[in-house]
Every structure is written in structure tokens, then in C-alpha cells.
Amino acid sequence: MILDKEVQRKLKIEPIEGSYNSYAVQEREKKDWRGNIYLACVAAILAISFFT
């Protein structure tokens, strides 16, 4: 559990049509590309070692 860092989330709040004082809250998420980059590097290394 991380206690030292304060995490700020980006929220998108929109009123719901047809209702009084109700809102839809959606969290905007950033894409985490670290896993995809790691997978691409491993695939490239395997391809190079296979074809040489």
C-alpha cells in the first residue's frame, strides 16, 4: 500500500439527462504502454534469434 504518494485521478463528470441532480462519473485512464513495449522487445529478440 502506498501511503506517501497522493494519487490524482482525472474524472469526467456529466449530468444525466432526464434526472434531477444526478451525474455520471467516468474516470479517464491513461494507457499503460510498458507491457506492450516489453512484449514487442521480447518478440523482436525471439524473431532475430530464430532467423539467425
Side-chain angles (χ1 to χ4, degrees):
M1 190 158 72
I2 300 172
L3 297 175
D4 295 335
K5 290 186 177 181
E6 184 175 320
V7 177
Q8 292 184 355
R9 301 180 337 188
K10 294 188 177 191
L11 300 176
K12 183 179 179 184
I13 301 172
E14 297 178 342
I16 299 173
E17 290 189 32
S19 65
Y20 177 74
N21 217 12
S22 296
Y23 298 92
V25 179
Q26 298 174 353
E27 188 170 359
R28 296 180 189 171
E29 295 183 15
K30 290 185 179 179
K31 281 275 193 181
D32 186 15
W33 291 98
R34 289 180 293 178
N36 292 340
I37 293 171
Y38 177 75
L39 182 63
C41 290
V42 170
I45 292 170
L46 288 174
I48 290 169
S49 65
F50 179 74
F51 290 114
T52 56

